Amino acid sequence: MAADATDLSTEALARRRFLKRGSAGAVATAAAALQLPARAAENVAAAGAEAANLPPNVPEWTKSLGEPTASPYGMPSRFEKTAIRSLYPGLKEPMSAYSTSPLQELDGIITPNGLHYERHHAGVPQIDPALHRLMVHGLTRRSLIFTMDELRQFPSESHIYFMECSGNPSFLPPWGKTAAEVAGLVSGAQWTGVPLRAVLAHIGVKPGAKWVIAEGADGAGMTRSIPIEKCMDDVLLAYSQNGERLRPEQGYPLRLFVPGFEGNMSIKWLRRLEVADQPVYSREETAKYTDLMADGRSRKFSFVMECKSLITSPSGTHRLTRQGRHEMRGIAWSGHGKIKAVDVSVDGGNTWTPAKLDGPVLNKALTSFRAPFEWRGQELMLMSRAVDETGYVQPLLSELLKERGSVSFYHNNSVQPWRVAANGEVTNGRA
Amino acid sequence: MAADATDLSTEALARRRFLKRGSAGAVATAAAALQLPARAAENVAAAGAEAANLPPNVPEWTKSLGEPTASPYGMPSRFEKTAIRSLYPGLKEPMSAYSTSPLQELDGIITPNGLHYERHHAGVPQIDPALHRLMVHGLTRRSLIFTMDELRQFPSESHIYFMECSGNPSFLPPWGKTAAEVAGLVSGAQWTGVPLRAVLAHIGVKPGAKWVIAEGADGAGMTRSIPIEKCMDDVLLAYSQNGERLRPEQGYPLRLFVPGFEGNMSIKWLRRLEVADQPVYSREETAKYTDLMADGRSRKFSFVMECKSLITSPSGTHRLTRQGRHEMRGIAWSGHGKIKAVDVSVDGGNTWTPAKLDGPVLNKALTSFRAPFEWRGQELMLMSRAVDETGYVQPLLSELLKERGSVSFYHNNSVQPWRVAANGEVTNGRA
């Protein structure tokens, strides 16, 4: 049977079935079942035999050949225009800048590589992997320089981990409109690489070694000091991300990956590791990435990204278009390990109910949660609050400010509220 | 300190340290530690003070700004030329064709969306999601037509699953050179969507319902019959893949996802589900996707993709360049559930040792495995053999042919051997 005839008869048959049963009635049933607004049901009645939500014709794509198989590297649909990275609001200089993952468009615990958040200090270098080297030296029994091929010969491990910028968001207003603007400097991926402990065992670490200084090969030469216990634990020399080689903006061909710690410590374009007995007190751990406290002292070496959650749907700029049952969805994560639970509220934190954790719950990885809620056209304040396996509970902003003082900048893991207005519009509950 | 001065002094300091210790000696130590071929050590001696594996200059990317932050949708490095999809070997017509994931280039259990394998019968339609509809009807209490927005209002679930074509590979020679050519019609991703059981519960299924007929909206109108028990189990109406909306070539905006079953049953560009008391005996489950047996009968409705594994590194066209300890890496999967174990052999299956399962072991998902092996310049035959949680053991090809006969075409889940030659070249052990 020719494709056209089959398609037309299927569509026509479907229409006839609807007409037989009384299309207005059948589609009105559909509308009612999903509790569509009254307007849709009226359209159905007005349209008569032509059900309001049936497309008018057999679509073009059903009657023709599509595009060829085997695009060498596939891209998203041209109809997906809003699932893109954006410069963090207010930034204009693109070399020392960050870009956000469009969390309000995403699902699950894996962020596609093209949408992983970025934070750069001198733009994105395009490194030739054949020329890239990693030097490992210092308080070591020997000093070695590795090529990428040599590193890939070490035992490899793959782990699903989150990564988060320590300024996600900062404590400064404005708070942003969308989930991306509010907290889009977090992403999840499966990272593959060499456990750093395997390389350190290979070269031999001398007594007195307490830190590893990691330095990047980009124009900014980003440098951080990592405690050696962490390096002997789960730090990776990562070369793959979600199966393929790292993206340039995530450090191609090699980055340090420090699970659960501030994103800036996962030094990109890694070229040097120096084993030392002291931290190097780089700019990035003194002038930056420290927290000024109320008494004038700075909290430094605040490594761990604490337990946190974010409702991604519905979130700022979304709109509820019907009354009835909805599902809120979001992500939770903790630098201390696994998420134990997520509670949600629709009344600004007066009452809480447990959300369902959906999919695998993994150590230091994004964890999906979802929870049903009812909307009857009233104003709501949606919130989520995560608890990790240590028992730590994600704090409210007021609790966090009380503890840290109001001049603190980084590590804002407070509960994020989303306001639902009577007309269904969703906005940032802080603004 | 200016970036240049810092960089030069760091490089120079590193060189001076090497010179102090006797660079030839230090780098020769590196060479020996990794058991590099003798040639490298000789080069070192010949080069004198200039260590053979140090790049000649401070790289350009260390001395300059890179590319701007916030490319809206990032792409792989321009240096990554071989991690691409390719038409299955021998195919020329790109509309009814398949493309392979470059498994020999990939790590872990997540295949990046741009490299997920494809199988199309009329190319890739570019569907406007606003116009796309899903009709659900048949032996149901009511018939409904859904928009994408309506489907996204149902409860959602996210699961990491493999997908495999039932002809991966077929039993026909030639067997291919690379892992991609041999068995590249398998990929892994986290899929998000509505559990079909939720939609069926919503519309109500009548007594006597035994099958669900699923039909696609592309020019080929791909149709398969799915047993209703499976539909009530873990079948998804999927709209997201690794976090973002489906790719056009994976069914944008909506596909059926039937975990663990033949890939063709996960109907792309899904437009219709008919609940029925019989299968529809479409072309795709009679003329195709059935297995001719030795006695002349056809084995049809062979749904489950059985337990299987594949060594992806080293694999065909790779080359071992040094003697000593190596790590073989690969993936295993089973349509019946979780992988329980993977054993590996270096002597063509005479002796087997257990490999290590690396990372999460999930139901009906790819599972990474790795195992060390020694190469001393002799010929090896590398093999991997998976066992799933039901106790099923991946068979050798000879065992499979004995069971199925030699005219069988699909469901070749036999052990794949890779030959390592004395010069280190790796080739398909079947060819």
Side-chain angles (χ1 to χ4, degrees):
Chain A
M1 208 188 299
D4 270 13
T6 306
D7 296 339
L8 285 169
S9 75
T10 303
E11 286 286 315
L13 186 62
R15 281 210 188 90
R16 287 197 292 274
R17 282 182 184 158
F18 269 74
L19 290 170
K20 256 197 193 161
R21 293 172 191 166
S23 72
V27 180
T29 301
L34 283 166
Q35 296 163 303
L36 292 170
R39 180 182 53 75
E42 286 164 28
N43 281 349
V44 164
E50 184 159 343
N53 70 341
L54 275 176
N57 303 308
V58 174
E60 205 45 50
W61 51 78
T62 299
K63 296 187 290 188
S64 53
L65 291 177
E67 296 189 357
T69 308
S71 44
Y73 200 91
M75 287 294 282
S77 166
R78 62 197 63 147
F79 292 95
E80 286 300 314
K81 294 180 168 45
T82 54
I84 57 171
R85 283 193 293 222
S86 309
L87 267 188
Y88 197 76
L91 295 184
K92 294 186 169 37
E93 160 51 53
M95 291 297 168
S96 182
Y98 8 3
S99 74
T100 53
S101 286
L103 300 177
Q104 64 279 2
E105 306 278 341
L106 302 178
D107 296 294
I109 69 171
I110 300 291
T111 309
N113 288 344
L115 297 178
H116 196 290
Y117 89 88
E118 302 170 88
R119 182 10 169 176
H120 309 309
H121 292 82
V124 182
Q126 304 298 318
I127 296 179
D128 181 342
L131 300 181
H132 189 71
R133 300 288 184 274
L134 173 67
M135 180 163 78
V136 188
H137 69 119
L139 281 176
T140 56
R141 301 203 182 285
R142 43 189 182 173
S143 300
L144 291 178
I145 293 180
F146 296 103
T147 64
M148 289 308 304
D149 285 344
E150 288 164 354
L151 284 172
R152 264 192 285 275
Q153 298 190 41
F154 278 91
S156 70
E157 289 184 8
S158 297
H159 297 271
I160 298 175
Y161 287 136
F162 79 87
M163 179 183 297
E164 186 184 18
C165 179
S166 55
N168 185 40
S170 73
F171 283 89
L172 297 177
W175 301 107
K177 296 196 183 59
T178 62
E181 290 175 354
V182 163
L185 303 178
V186 64
S187 305
Q190 185 173 44
W191 300 91
T192 300
V194 189
L196 177 52
R197 65 181 180 276
V199 173
L200 293 177
H202 184 73
I203 66 170
V205 169
K206 285 183 171 167
K210 290 197 165 56
W211 295 84
V212 175
I213 317 304
E215 179 186 275
D218 64 324
M222 184 77 174
T223 304
R224 285 294 317 245
S225 312
I226 329 277
I228 198 142
E229 301 81 10
K230 181 66 172 174
C231 295
M232 293 302 199
D233 182 16
D234 55 7
V235 173
L236 284 181
L237 301 177
Y239 46 75
S240 288
Q241 169 191 4
N242 287 334
E244 63 184 348
R245 297 288 185 261
L246 298 181
R247 292 303 178 85
E249 54 269 28
Q250 267 77 54
Y252 182 87
L254 183 72
R255 81 174 304 160
L256 198 67
F257 195 94
V258 190
F261 279 26
E262 297 188 333
N264 63 77
M265 299 179 76
S266 289
I267 298 290
K268 300 190 292 288
W269 315 296
L270 183 70
R271 71 170 181 176
R272 191 167 72 88
L273 293 168
E274 179 176 352
V275 180
D277 57 3
Q278 301 196 41
V280 78
Y281 291 111
S282 72
R283 169 188 183 270
E284 306 305 337
E285 50 204 22
T286 51
K288 296 291 166 186
Y289 300 115
T290 58
D291 302 293
L292 186 59
M293 303 196 299
D295 66 0
R297 293 181 302 158
S298 270
R299 192 165 79 114
K300 64 182 194 286
F301 295 135
S302 47
F303 297 133
V304 180
M305 299 309 295
E306 297 285 359
C307 177
K308 187 165 170 179
S309 68
L310 180 75
I311 293 166
T312 53
S313 175
S315 60
T317 71
H318 289 168
R319 183 172 181 169
L320 304 186
T321 52
R322 63 170 177 81
Q323 296 191 17
R325 192 175 172 103
H326 291 263
E327 181 178 81
M328 66 174 99
R329 298 165 190 150
I331 43 176
W333 61 96
S334 173
H336 281 297
K338 292 185 180 182
I339 290 296
K340 179 170 157 189
V342 178
D343 299 317
V344 296
S345 173
V346 299
D347 57 12
N350 282 329
T351 56
W352 295 90
T353 53
K356 183 177 179 353
L357 299 185
D358 175 42
V361 178
L362 302 169
N363 173 43
K364 302 189 186 81
L366 296 182
T367 301
S368 293
F369 67 88
R370 56 196 182 92
F373 70 100
E374 295 283 326
W375 182 58
R376 298 279 164 206
Q378 80 278 35
E379 196 173 292
L380 297 177
M381 189 70 83
L382 307 179
M383 298 165 91
S384 67
R385 179 181 66 185
V387 184
D388 73 16
E389 61 174 276
T390 71
Y392 176 101
V393 180
Q394 180 181 9
L396 298 172
L397 181 58
S398 53
E399 294 168 341
L400 207 56
L401 289 173
K402 198 180 300 183
E403 181 188 304
R404 305 258 189 89
S406 59
V407 286
S408 193
F409 190 85
Y410 300 103
H411 289 277
N412 177 3
N413 64 320
S414 62
V415 170
Q416 167 62 32
W418 299 109
R419 178 187 303 105
V420 180
N423 66 358
E425 283 177 0
V426 185
T427 53
N428 187 341
R430 290 213 189 296
Chain B
M1 208 187 301
D4 270 13
T6 306
D7 295 340
L8 285 170
S9 74
T10 303
E11 288 286 316
L13 186 62
R15 282 211 185 90
R16 287 199 292 274
R17 282 181 184 160
F18 271 74
L19 290 171
K20 258 197 191 159
R21 294 171 193 165
S23 72
V27 179
T29 302
L34 283 166
Q35 296 164 301
L36 291 170
R39 181 181 51 76
E42 285 164 30
N43 282 348
V44 165
E50 185 157 344
N53 71 341
L54 278 175
N57 303 309
V58 174
E60 203 47 47
W61 50 78
T62 299
K63 296 188 290 189
S64 53
L65 292 176
E67 295 189 357
T69 308
S71 44
Y73 199 91
M75 287 294 283
S77 167
R78 61 197 63 147
F79 293 96
E80 286 300 314
K81 293 179 168 44
T82 53
I84 57 171
R85 284 194 291 224
S86 309
L87 266 188
Y88 197 75
L91 295 183
K92 294 186 168 37
E93 160 51 51
M95 291 298 168
S96 181
Y98 9 5
S99 75
T100 53
S101 287
L103 300 178
Q104 64 278 2
E105 307 278 342
L106 302 178
D107 295 295
I109 68 172
I110 299 291
T111 309
N113 289 343
L115 297 178
H116 196 290
Y117 89 88
E118 302 170 87
R119 180 12 168 174
H120 309 307
H121 292 82
V124 182
Q126 305 298 318
I127 295 180
D128 182 342
L131 299 180
H132 188 71
R133 299 290 183 272
L134 173 68
M135 180 163 79
V136 189
H137 69 118
L139 280 177
T140 57
R141 301 204 181 285
R142 43 189 183 174
S143 300
L144 291 178
I145 292 180
F146 296 102
T147 63
M148 288 308 304
D149 284 345
E150 288 163 353
L151 284 171
R152 264 192 286 276
Q153 298 188 43
F154 278 91
S156 71
E157 288 184 9
S158 297
H159 297 271
I160 297 175
Y161 287 136
F162 79 86
M163 180 182 297
E164 186 183 18
C165 178
S166 56
N168 185 41
S170 72
F171 283 89
L172 297 177
W175 300 108
K177 296 196 183 61
T178 62
E181 291 174 352
V182 163
L185 303 178
V186 64
S187 304
Q190 186 173 44
W191 300 90
T192 300
V194 189
L196 176 53
R197 64 182 181 276
V199 174
L200 294 176
H202 184 72
I203 65 170
V205 169
K206 284 184 173 167
K210 290 197 164 57
W211 294 84
V212 175
I213 317 303
E215 179 185 275
D218 65 324
M222 184 77 173
T223 304
R224 284 295 317 245
S225 312
I226 329 277
I228 198 140
E229 301 80 12
K230 181 66 173 175
C231 296
M232 294 300 198
D233 183 16
D234 56 5
V235 172
L236 284 181
L237 301 177
Y239 46 75
S240 288
Q241 171 191 3
N242 286 334
E244 61 185 347
R245 297 287 185 261
L246 298 181
R247 292 303 178 85
E249 54 269 26
Q250 267 77 54
Y252 182 88
L254 183 72
R255 82 175 301 161
L256 198 68
F257 196 94
V258 189
F261 279 25
E262 296 188 334
N264 62 77
M265 299 180 76
S266 288
I267 298 290
K268 301 189 293 286
W269 315 296
L270 184 70
R271 70 170 182 177
R272 191 168 70 89
L273 292 169
E274 179 175 352
V275 180
D277 56 3
Q278 300 197 42
V280 77
Y281 290 111
S282 72
R283 168 189 184 269
E284 307 304 338
E285 49 204 23
T286 51
K288 297 291 167 186
Y289 300 115
T290 58
D291 303 293
L292 187 58
M293 303 195 299
D295 66 359
R297 293 180 303 157
S298 271
R299 192 165 81 113
K300 65 182 194 286
F301 294 135
S302 48
F303 297 132
V304 179
M305 298 310 296
E306 297 284 1
C307 177
K308 188 164 170 179
S309 68
L310 181 74
I311 294 167
T312 53
S313 174
S315 59
T317 71
H318 289 168
R319 184 170 180 170
L320 303 187
T321 53
R322 62 170 177 81
Q323 295 190 17
R325 193 176 170 102
H326 290 263
E327 181 177 81
M328 65 175 100
R329 300 164 190 151
I331 42 175
W333 61 96
S334 173
H336 282 298
K338 291 186 183 182
I339 289 296
K340 179 170 157 191
V342 177
D343 298 317
V344 296
S345 173
V346 298
D347 57 13
N350 283 329
T351 57
W352 295 90
T353 53
K356 182 175 179 355
L357 300 185
D358 176 43
V361 178
L362 303 169
N363 173 43
K364 303 189 186 82
L366 296 182
T367 302
S368 293
F369 67 88
R370 56 194 182 94
F373 70 99
E374 294 284 326
W375 182 58
R376 298 280 163 204
Q378 78 279 34
E379 196 172 295
L380 297 176
M381 189 70 85
L382 307 179
M383 298 166 91
S384 68
R385 179 182 66 186
V387 184
D388 73 15
E389 62 175 277
T390 70
Y392 176 101
V393 180
Q394 180 180 11
L396 299 173
L397 180 58
S398 53
E399 295 168 341
L400 206 56
L401 287 173
K402 198 179 302 183
E403 182 187 304
R404 306 257 189 90
S406 59
V407 286
S408 192
F409 189 85
Y410 300 102
H411 289 277
N412 177 2
N413 64 319
S414 63
V415 169
Q416 167 62 32
W418 299 109
R419 179 187 303 105
V420 180
N423 68 356
E425 282 177 1
V426 186
T427 53
N428 187 339
R430 292 214 188 295

